[in-house]
Amino acid sequence: DKGKLRAAAYDVMNAGLGDTSDELFVKLKNHPKIKATPHISGFSDTTNKDGNNIMISNIESWKKGKPINVFGE
């Protein structure tokens, strides 16, 4: 609202999946320079396939005793 951004796209992280009543989502959705989605913009056939491939690689590596993508290490 202060004119610092020309435009923005925002996947509303605070809103639950598909929650179009979230206060922040409603404010952003109604702003003329912002494209907002109710936390669904990352879901597609491509991201689903990529996520599954990562999961399969993680499991296969773990079964070989060489885990990958381990958090906290």
Side-chain angles (χ1 to χ4, degrees):
D1 290 334
K2 295 181 181 179
K4 295 188 179 207
L5 290 176
R6 182 174 176 195
Y10 188 70
D11 185 31
V12 184
M13 302 305 272
N14 295 12
L17 181 61
D19 180 5
T20 57
S21 65
D22 179 80
E23 184 178 334
L24 178 59
F25 173 74
V26 172
K27 181 178 180 179
L28 295 174
K29 177 181 71 85
N30 293 324
H31 196 286
K33 293 186 177 183
I34 294 178
K35 298 293 182 207
T37 62
H39 199 50
I40 60 169
S41 67
F43 296 110
S44 69
D45 291 342
T46 300
T47 58
N48 206 16
K49 181 180 175 185
D50 290 347
N52 286 335
N53 288 338
I54 291 169
M55 178 185 62
I56 290 166
S57 294
N58 289 344
I59 293 169
E60 288 174 344
S61 296
W62 176 77
K63 286 175 66 176
K64 293 175 184 174
K66 297 180 181 181
I68 58 173
N69 301 317
V70 179
F71 290 98
E73 289 192 1

